[in-house]
Amino acid sequence: MTSIKDFGPEIATLRHMARPAQQRAKRTADPKAAWPRDFIWGVSTSSFQIEGATREDGRGQSIWDTFGAAGRVANHDTGDVACDHYHRYAEDVALMRELGVQAYRFSVAWPRLLPQGRGSANEAGLAFYDRLIDALLAAGIEPWLCLYHWDLPQALDDLGGWTTRDAAGWFADYAALVACRYGDRVKRFATFNEPSVFTLFGYGFGDSAPGASGPVMLRQAMHHVNLAHGAAVDVLRALVPKASIGAIHNYQPCLPATPADAQAAELFGAYWNSAFPDPQCLGAYPPRLADAFAPYVQPGDLARICRPTDWFGLNHYSPIYAKADPSAPLGFTFGPAPSDLTRTPIEWPIYPDAFRDTLLEVSARYRLPVYVLENGFGGHDTPDAAGKVADAPRIDFLKAYTDAMRRAIADGADVRGYFVWSLLDNFEWGSGYGVRFGLVYVDYPTQMRIPKASFRWYADLIKSARQKDGLKGTS
Ligand code: FCB
C-alpha cells in the first residue's frame, strides 16, 4: 500500500497553494471595464469527446477505446459515436459561426493520423483535419490545435506508453507530422491538455485510461510528458513559421478539507498545479517534488523541457479540497468542499474568486500571456416540452466567472482570451454522456444539436465585447 511517505523526503513549499482565496487581500476593480483590445473569445472541444467514427477511415485504437470497451466508463458508454463530429463537423463549424467566436480549440486524434502511433501516416485521417481547418478558416474562426487531449494510440501504450522515455521521441515525430501538414494554416499550437489530470488519473489514481496506478509509473509518465512537451515545442518552432505555442494546464487552489489535511493538500497541489508548469516555464520541478523526481531526471533534461513558449493555457473550474488517505494509491484524495459553498449539479464548487486569484497567480508566477482555454458548467440538462434548453444556472456560472476574470484583468493579470468548455455536450470521460457541459445540447439518439440559452447569452457577450473593441478580428 502506498502512502504519502512513499513520495520521499519532499520539502514543504508552495504554501500559497493552500491559502484560501478568501484570506487573500481584497482587490477592487471596475467590473464593467471594457475587455482588453484583441481579446479572443472561443470554445473548446477534444477529439475523443466529440468525433466518434473510432473505427472509420483507418483510425487506430486509442487507450480510451480500450478503457470504454472494458466497461470502465459510467453506463458502459464509449466514444464510438460521441457527437458524430467526424461527419457533422460542417454543422458544428456553422454553429460556431453563429455563436460569433473568433477561435476554436480542438485536438487532433493521434491514432487517426498514426494508427500505430508511429510509422505510416493515415491519409484519410490527415484529410479529416484538412477539411475541419479549411471550414474554420472559411468561417473566419482561428484554429487552435492541441496535439494531445488524452487519446494515446493503444499500440504505444502496449509499448509502455508515457512510462517509457521513448514516448518523448514518438510525440516529437507526431508533432512534426502535424506541423508539416497543417502549419501552413494553423499557427496556434498547444502541446498537451492538462498533463497533470491525465497522468494523475491514468497512472496515479488509476481511474482513467490506461488505468494504471502507482507512484513510480506516475512519476515516470509525468517526466516523460514533460520531455515530450519540450521536444514538441522545438519541432513546432522549427517547422512552423510564426507559430504561437503553449501548453494547457489545469490550475486551481488545492485546499485542505480539514486542518489535518494540510500536508496532503500541499502534496496534491504540487502534483496537480506545479509538476508541469514549473519545469516547463521555470526550469525546475517544484521543491516539494524534486527528490521524488530525481531518479528519472537525466542530465540536460530540464533544459530540454524548459523551452520558450508564447502563452500559458489555463483550464479552471473550481478549487480542489484535498484530504489525506493512506489507503489511496498516492496517499491523498479528494475531500469534501465546505458545505456553505454552492455547487454545480455534478458537485463542483462554484467559487469565482478562486478563479480571479488563480489568474493573478498564474500570470505573476509564469510571466506569460494567459489564455483561459477551458471554463464551464457541467449539469444534466434536458429540453423542455417546447424543445428548448433553459440552462439559467450555466449562464449564472459563466457570468460570475467572466466577471471574476474581468476583475483579475483590471488587477493586472495578463489574460488575452477565454474559451468556454464546451461547444457541445460530449463524452465526459469516466462519466460518459451523463454529464453535459455544452453550450449546445446534443440529442444523442438523433444527433440533433439544440443551442441552449447559454449559447445565446455567450453570443451576446461576445458581440457586445467585440463592439467595444471595434469588432476586431483575431490577432
Ligand atoms: C477538463 C478536460 C475536458 C473536460 C472538462 C470538463 O479536465 O480537459 O476534456 O472533460 O474537464
Side-chain angles (χ1 to χ4, degrees), residues 49 149-150 193-194 315 317 348 374 421 428-429 437:
Q49 293 179 274
H149 201 127
W150 309 358
N193 174 71
E194 296 191 356
N315 291 356
Y317 293 86
W348 291 11
E374 280 187 32
W421 183 270
E428 180 47 33
W429 306 115
F437 272 91

Side-chain angles (χ1 to χ4, degrees), residues 205-261:
F205 299 126
D207 43 16
S208 277
S213 141
V216 170
M217 290 179 101
L218 172 69
R219 290 179 198 129
Q220 286 171 330
M222 286 183 143
H223 186 58
H224 300 147
V225 168
N226 270 326
L227 285 170
H229 160 84
V233 172
D234 284 349
V235 162
L236 292 165
R237 196 72 80 198
L239 295 177
V240 182
K242 301 208 175 108
S244 174
I245 306 168
I248 307 167
H249 303 289
N250 50 292
Y251 201 104
Q252 48 211 115
C254 194
L255 308 167
T258 71
D261 299 310

Side-chain angles (χ1 to χ4, degrees), residues 117-451:
R118 55 195 183 141
S120 308
N122 174 31
E123 178 52 34
L126 284 158
F128 167 66
Y129 297 104
D130 279 334
R131 294 195 292 279
L132 172 64
I133 290 164
D134 291 345
L136 289 165
L137 293 173
I141 299 168
E142 186 184 25
W144 285 53
L145 188 159
C146 177
L147 288 169
Y148 189 84
H149 201 127
W150 309 358
D151 41 3
L152 183 72
Q154 182 59 49
L156 297 184
D157 188 58
D158 294 343
L159 299 173
W162 294 114
T163 65
T164 152
R165 205 175 154 95
D166 292 344
W170 301 333
F171 190 67
D173 290 346
Y174 159 58
L177 174 66
V178 169
C180 290
R181 180 72 173 219
Y182 309 118
D184 56 338
R185 288 156 290 163
V186 178
K187 299 296 170 194
R188 301 281 196 171
F189 291 94
T191 53
F192 285 91
N193 174 71
E194 296 191 356
S196 67
V197 174
F198 80 78
T199 53
L200 270 166
F201 282 96
Y203 297 91
F205 299 126
D207 43 16
S208 277
S213 141
V216 170
M217 290 179 101
L218 172 69
R219 290 179 198 129
Q220 286 171 330
M222 286 183 143
H223 186 58
H224 300 147
V225 168
N226 270 326
L227 285 170
H229 160 84
V233 172
D234 284 349
V235 162
L236 292 165
R237 196 72 80 198
L239 295 177
V240 182
K242 301 208 175 108
S244 174
I245 306 168
I248 307 167
H249 303 289
N250 50 292
Y251 201 104
Q252 48 211 115
C254 194
L255 308 167
T258 71
D261 299 310
Q263 272 206 329
E266 272 186 23
L267 187 59
F268 201 155
Y271 275 96
W272 188 270
N273 286 325
S274 315
F276 292 94
D278 276 20
Q280 292 179 12
C281 305
L282 306 178
Y285 279 101
R288 187 80 173 78
L289 301 182
D291 287 348
F293 278 74
Y296 317 104
V297 180
Q298 295 184 10
D301 275 5
L302 287 161
R304 289 184 190 103
I305 293 167
C306 184
R307 312 304 297 151
T309 51
D310 302 297
W311 43 267
F312 187 101
L314 173 72
N315 291 356
H316 182 99
Y317 293 86
S318 59
I320 288 174
Y321 292 87
K323 71 170 188 195
D325 178 358
S327 70
L330 299 167
F332 55 76
T333 187
F334 292 88
S339 51
D340 57 337
L341 279 184
T342 46
R343 295 166 164 77
T344 66
I346 57 165
E347 296 294 326
W348 291 11
I350 300 177
Y351 201 158
D353 279 356
F355 182 41
R356 180 202 60 192
D357 288 354
T358 299
L359 287 166
L360 285 160
E361 183 169 309
V362 158
S363 183
R365 181 170 176 80
Y366 299 109
R367 301 191 175 281
L368 286 169
V370 177
Y371 289 94
V372 177
L373 292 178
E374 280 187 32
N375 176 236
F377 177 99
H380 308 291
D381 315 69
T382 43
D384 61 21
K388 301 216 178 308
V389 183
D391 55 343
R394 180 171 291 104
I395 296 176
D396 291 345
F397 177 97
L398 295 173
K399 259 188 204 157
Y401 274 72
T402 49
D403 275 354
M405 176 170 67
R406 190 172 3 211
R407 283 186 278 127
I409 294 169
D411 290 343
D414 183 7
V415 187
R416 308 269 180 101
Y418 175 84
F419 292 51
V420 171
W421 183 270
S422 182
L423 174 67
L424 304 170
D425 293 340
N426 59 46
F427 175 86
E428 180 47 33
W429 306 115
S431 307
Y433 299 100
V435 170
R436 293 173 179 270
F437 272 91
L439 297 174
V440 176
Y441 180 88
V442 177
D443 178 52
Y444 293 109
T446 61
Q447 289 294 341
M448 198 183 22
R449 271 81 166 131
I450 305 174

Side-chain angles (χ1 to χ4, degrees), residues 17-210:
M17 232 63 95
R19 188 156 44 109
Q22 67 266 36
Q23 287 176 13
R24 298 179 193 175
K26 280 259 175 279
R27 304 179 186 94
T28 49
D30 174 7
K32 297 275 174 279
W35 295 101
R37 282 193 83 71
D38 298 328
F39 196 81
I40 297 178
W41 299 97
V43 279
S44 294
T45 66
S46 87
S47 46
F48 192 78
Q49 293 179 274
I50 63 169
E51 284 179 6
T54 52
R55 294 187 194 86
E56 221 165 303
D57 290 345
R59 177 187 175 280
Q61 194 174 328
S62 81
I63 54 173
W64 272 95
D65 296 303
T66 311
F67 204 67
R72 307 270 315 257
V73 172
N75 310 312
H76 290 246
D77 286 341
T78 70
D80 291 357
V81 179
C83 306
D84 196 30
H85 172 77
Y86 187 74
H87 299 112
R88 295 169 194 263
Y89 71 91
E91 184 183 346
D92 295 337
V93 171
L95 280 165
M96 284 186 257
R97 186 179 198 159
E98 193 183 330
L99 186 58
V101 288
Q102 295 132 284
Y104 172 52
R105 173 200 152 206
F106 63 101
S107 73
V108 165
W110 186 347
R112 208 178 278 293
L113 264 47
L114 291 160
Q116 295 304 309
R118 55 195 183 141
S120 308
N122 174 31
E123 178 52 34
L126 284 158
F128 167 66
Y129 297 104
D130 279 334
R131 294 195 292 279
L132 172 64
I133 290 164
D134 291 345
L136 289 165
L137 293 173
I141 299 168
E142 186 184 25
W144 285 53
L145 188 159
C146 177
L147 288 169
Y148 189 84
H149 201 127
W150 309 358
D151 41 3
L152 183 72
Q154 182 59 49
L156 297 184
D157 188 58
D158 294 343
L159 299 173
W162 294 114
T163 65
T164 152
R165 205 175 154 95
D166 292 344
W170 301 333
F171 190 67
D173 290 346
Y174 159 58
L177 174 66
V178 169
C180 290
R181 180 72 173 219
Y182 309 118
D184 56 338
R185 288 156 290 163
V186 178
K187 299 296 170 194
R188 301 281 196 171
F189 291 94
T191 53
F192 285 91
N193 174 71
E194 296 191 356
S196 67
V197 174
F198 80 78
T199 53
L200 270 166
F201 282 96
Y203 297 91
F205 299 126
D207 43 16
S208 277

